[in-house]
Amino acid sequence: MASQNSSASGSSQNTGPGNNLYCYHNEIAPLRFVRFQGPKMGKRFYGCSFWPRTCGFFRWADEVNDEHEMHFLLLEKDTKIAELEHEIDMLQLKLKEVETKNAELEDLVHEVGIECTERRLIMESASADKKMGFYLVASWILFAIMFWLV
């Protein structure tokens, strides 16, 4: 029995619908009990469905429950990893959208800055024209006053 236990410890667990355990023949492995006198008498195990012509499949029932639990935890972690990878993909898409929008806004700010500078120059030019017109009118008035006094 020790040789069967060592050959089963390195095997993979095949579970199907209803959490059945399958032997290496891909048949449901029935639950059996140790019938020989000794410390393991009455202990439950899963064995090959073709016993006594066995494929060597052997699992203690209490180890199978641990394996089922570990298998469930592994599936749970795989699911969480898949969810996180999906979330990462969605965040990367959102980041690309934000970067594109940011580039568009930077271009818009640059264009608005250029437009503001052009308008400021136009306003300063108009203000200079007004000042020049004021000085021209003032100089004519001063010239007329001086001409009239002389």
Side-chain angles (χ1 to χ4, degrees):
M1 192 176 249
S3 65
Q4 288 177 340
N5 193 8
S6 65
S7 67
S9 66
S11 63
S12 63
Q13 175 181 339
N14 298 324
T15 56
N19 290 332
N20 290 326
L21 206 58
Y22 289 81
C23 74
Y24 302 126
H25 292 112
N26 207 21
E27 297 287 331
I28 294 176
L31 181 63
R32 302 173 192 262
F33 296 89
V34 175
R35 295 184 185 155
F36 299 108
Q37 289 292 332
K40 296 192 182 198
M41 184 176 175
K43 191 169 180 180
R44 301 179 317 153
F45 68 92
Y46 292 92
C48 177
S49 59
F50 292 112
W51 188 83
R53 284 183 341 200
T54 179
C55 63
F57 179 80
F58 177 87
R59 288 272 201 298
W60 290 111
D62 56 352
E63 291 175 359
V64 169
N65 290 336
D66 291 343
E67 288 180 24
H68 282 288
E69 185 176 329
M70 294 306 265
H71 183 67
F72 174 75
L73 290 173
L74 182 63
L75 288 175
E76 194 174 62
K77 291 200 181 285
D78 286 345
T79 302
K80 183 66 174 176
I81 288 170
E83 289 173 353
L84 290 173
E85 286 174 344
H86 177 70
E87 187 175 341
I88 287 170
D89 291 341
M90 298 305 293
L91 288 172
Q92 286 175 339
L93 286 174
K94 187 161 186 139
L95 177 62
K96 286 180 183 178
E97 291 174 6
V98 168
E99 286 174 343
T100 302
K101 185 73 172 179
N102 187 34
E104 291 173 358
L105 290 174
E106 285 177 351
D107 290 344
L108 183 62
V109 166
H110 182 70
E111 290 173 11
V112 167
I114 290 173
E115 186 176 325
C116 286
T117 302
E118 289 173 350
R119 288 188 182 199
R120 189 186 54 155
L121 291 173
I122 291 171
M123 289 174 59
E124 286 175 358
S125 175
S127 175
D129 289 347
K130 285 181 184 177
K131 286 180 184 176
M132 187 173 281
F134 173 76
Y135 291 137
L136 183 62
V137 169
S139 65
W140 285 348
I141 292 174
L142 189 59
F143 180 72
I145 291 174
M146 286 178 59
F147 184 75
W148 193 45
L149 289 174
V150 185

